[in-house]
Amino acid sequence: MTLAHFLDGLRCWTCKTLNALWLDPSRAVVECRECGQSALTFPESGEATTGERR
């Protein structure tokens, strides 16, 4: 069993259901509990990727 986080205020792109998305950080997946559609997530590395130099 993994700890999933409810994503409040977001809508599923496939079925358009509001507040049905869950993030499972251990699997790096966002899943819709209504239609079952899932998408992979990409964790941030903590570095700016805009090309800015400090």
Side-chain angles (χ1 to χ4, degrees):
M1 176 133 189
T2 60
L3 180 63
H5 302 282
F6 173 66
L7 300 176
D8 188 29
L10 297 179
R11 187 177 301 274
C12 175
W13 178 258
T14 303
C15 69
K16 309 298 188 224
T17 302
L18 183 64
N19 297 330
L21 297 177
W22 292 83
L23 169 65
D24 184 344
S26 65
R27 295 187 311 149
V29 171
V30 173
E31 182 178 333
C32 177
R33 297 296 169 133
E34 186 68 25
C35 70
Q37 182 68 34
S38 62
L40 295 175
T41 62
F42 297 97
E44 291 186 24
S45 65
E47 295 292 321
T49 58
T50 60
E52 294 180 28
R53 296 185 188 249
R54 296 181 188 176

